[in-house]
Amino acid sequence: MRTQVCIIGGGPSGLILSQLLHKAGIDTVVLERRTRDYVLSRIRAGVLEFGAVNMLRKAGVGARMDREGFVHDGVYLAAQNRGFRIDFKRLVGKQVMVYGQTEVTQDLYAARDAMGGVVIHQAEGVTPHDLKTDAPFVTYHRDGAEHRIDCDYVIGCDGFHGVSRTCIPASVLNTYERVYPFGWLGVLSQTPPVSDELIYANHERGFALCSMRNENLSRYYLQVPVDDPIEKWTDAAFWDELRRRIPEDAAGRIVTGAAIEKSIAPLRSFVAEPMRWGRLFLVGDAAHIVPPTGAKGLNLAMSDVHYLYEALLSRYNDRDEAALDGYSACALARIWKSTRFSWWMTTTLHRFPDQAGFDQRIQETELAYLESSDIAQAALAENYVGLPY
Ligand code: APR
Ligand code: PHB
């Protein structure tokens, strides 16, 4: 088989890049190692920057999001049982969309099907070859046979544990990492959200986040030791702890219910440079991971896709490779700004095991300064709604 762009990974990055390129008349094939059901079973974050919202609309995938998503004008930050609101719309004139990543992925798959997009599932042993030549190809196994796809470019949209980043020689690849000494216990419950907007709470017992998917589907997170056994967190234990960490007025409104999904995830910041090796380009989690505190994971993947899509368009329509040559530096400039913001939100809102009294006071002062200063709030707002592409 031959295609112009071979994309490894059928998550959000790979699907939207394939959709945009297909709409621009550029041939793609997506190789996904899992089944579609498996990919769609993943519960991920739920906040879209305005840039990501525009990307989905541009890809022709925004209709259900615009119907069922929730536009939020701000968020609440809380500490010491007091909360205050950051009004994005007033401060920076922009908003965010609350719409689950699972829904985004479902909509992308539906759009790919509608256009006859080629997404090959259960592709095993995907291996890129000859990346430093002008005739790269990718091999994979499926149905007991080996297959080969010849292409112009290979795009690694295969996430943190994918194969593509490993194709960049260790002598060339630089990685930067911060592993946080705690995890997030996430719970999905068919209960009405406790607030009309998200609540990020700093508390001496640990961080808590109140989010939602719709008027009867709530998403909550608690900072817990990353090695906590999930069995320790019965529904009752979870609801009791959540009540302790958020302001009393919100705690009094909580409607409890059975968790329909419960898991503990580690938190890390990770960036790999460069995001190109010959005809291979990295996109999304294949190149970077952010702690979910800033809700940047999917949104950073979207800006990577934006830069690479525009660069591939220049290459195929104008035979101009300048943007491809500049992709890595351009994407990394925005990636590092979002990495900084996600790190800052995480270090400001979480309790660290070795946290001394001084650190605690600095956190409290950071939040007090935010509460008192429109300028400080505007800086948070412009990062949260998404820096310009
Ligand atoms: N061959 C083929 N497919 C692979 C391989 C491989 N060797 N390795 C991983 N994959 C697939 C995974 O099964 C997954 O479906 O690549 C896809 C990568 O998707 P994500 O991990 O979702 O990464 P990305 O598309 O960049 O999306 C980033 O989505 O998962 C969240 O936290 C993530 O919010 C971030 C956003
Ligand atoms: C979510 O709704 O899953 C969510 C929202 C905001 C975050 C992280 C997760 O920062």
Side-chain angles (χ1 to χ4, degrees):
M1 181 193 287
R2 193 189 198 293
T3 189
Q4 289 171 296
V5 179
C6 183
I7 297 169
I8 305 174
S13 301
L15 293 170
I16 192 163
L17 178 61
S18 168
Q19 177 72 5
L20 286 166
L21 290 173
H22 193 165
K23 284 173 71 71
I26 297 169
D27 234 13
T28 68
V29 170
V30 176
L31 295 175
E32 165 57 49
R33 76 174 163 193
R34 303 287 190 175
T35 64
R36 185 177 294 195
D37 286 348
Y38 183 96
V39 175
L40 292 174
S41 69
R42 296 179 184 131
I43 302 288
R44 293 282 170 62
V47 173
L48 298 174
E49 296 174 350
F50 74 97
V53 168
N54 292 338
M55 285 276 285
L56 289 166
R57 289 172 180 155
K58 178 177 173 179
V61 189
R64 189 161 76 102
M65 171 189 67
D66 286 328
R67 250 192 345 266
E68 300 178 11
F70 295 78
V71 176
H72 281 201
D73 293 349
V75 291
Y76 292 93
L77 295 186
Q80 276 80 41
N81 197 31
R82 281 182 53 254
F84 62 95
R85 186 166 179 267
I86 308 271
D87 188 337
F88 305 143
K89 196 169 180 184
R90 176 178 68 85
L91 291 159
V92 296
K94 293 194 175 69
Q95 302 150 298
V96 294
M97 176 77 78
V98 173
Y99 186 64
Q101 182 175 312
T102 308
E103 312 313 315
V104 170
T105 310
Q106 265 175 1
D107 296 345
L108 284 166
Y109 268 115
R112 293 281 64 220
D113 291 347
M115 285 187 73
V118 180
V119 181
I120 297 172
H121 285 278
Q122 297 175 285
E124 296 174 355
V126 173
T127 309
H129 302 269
D130 293 357
L131 293 170
K132 295 293 271 185
T133 74
D134 60 2
F137 64 96
V138 178
T139 56
Y140 66 95
H141 306 295
R142 192 171 192 281
D143 302 329
E146 176 160 293
H147 303 269
R148 170 174 169 147
I149 299 179
D150 291 281
C151 53
D152 299 330
Y153 299 99
V154 180
I155 316 299
C157 295
D158 49 348
F160 184 66
H161 301 289
V163 65
S164 56
R165 191 173 66 247
T166 68
C167 297
I168 301 180
S171 59
V172 172
L173 189 71
N174 293 304
T175 59
Y176 305 85
E177 185 168 43
R178 167 68 49 87
V179 177
Y180 298 94
F182 39 72
W184 273 20
L185 165 65
V187 165
L188 194 64
S189 62
Q190 281 175 325
T191 55
V194 73
S195 164
D196 58 342
E197 292 174 331
L198 275 61
I199 302 174
Y200 289 81
N202 169 308
H203 192 277
E204 62 190 6
R205 295 176 66 90
F207 168 80
L209 170 60
C210 303
S211 184
M212 74 282 294
R213 292 291 177 271
N214 61 47
E215 55 276 346
N216 197 39
L217 196 58
S218 297
R219 182 66 169 164
Y220 294 108
Y221 298 94
L222 291 179
Q223 171 189 344
V224 296
V226 70
D227 55 359
D228 251 5
I230 194 72
E231 300 72 30
K232 165 183 170 185
W233 289 98
T234 62
D235 288 359
F238 166 77
W239 292 116
D240 288 346
E241 189 62 30
L242 177 65
R243 283 196 189 90
R244 291 190 187 99
R245 298 188 185 183
I246 62 178
E248 282 168 8
D249 60 332
R253 291 196 302 268
I254 285 187
V255 175
T256 65
I260 57 174
E261 195 274 338
K262 192 187 288 177
S263 56
I264 295 176
L267 272 67
R268 77 174 76 234
S269 297
F270 174 86
V271 180
E273 299 180 0
M275 294 169 64
R276 176 189 190 174
W277 175 247
R279 291 297 180 97
L280 170 72
F281 293 85
L282 303 185
V283 170
D285 275 18
H288 44 77
I289 295 287
V290 284
T293 330
K296 292 298 166 207
L298 176 56
N299 291 298
L300 263 185
M302 289 289 190
S303 52
D304 290 351
V305 167
H306 164 78
Y307 297 128
L308 189 57
Y309 165 69
E310 295 296 339
L312 287 167
L313 233 50
S314 296
R315 186 268 182 222
Y316 281 109
N317 294 347
D318 313 323
R319 306 193 70 76
D320 176 355
E321 299 190 14
L324 278 179
D325 294 340
Y327 164 74
S328 182
C330 179
L332 283 165
R334 190 176 190 274
I335 288 159
W336 274 110
K337 292 187 182 98
S338 291
T339 297
R340 180 210 67 84
F341 174 68
S342 302
W343 164 83
W344 175 80
M345 283 281 279
T346 302
T347 51
T348 300
L349 293 171
H350 289 72
R351 277 291 175 286
F352 286 70
D354 56 353
Q355 188 159 319
F358 175 81
D359 306 308
Q360 167 66 22
R361 284 286 181 272
I362 291 295
Q363 278 189 349
E364 289 165 4
T365 306
E366 190 81 63
L367 291 162
Y369 171 53
L370 266 173
E371 186 174 9
S372 67
S373 164
D374 261 10
I375 294 169
Q377 290 187 18
L380 185 154
E382 80 164 341
N383 280 279
Y384 196 95
V385 301
L387 297 174
Y389 286 4

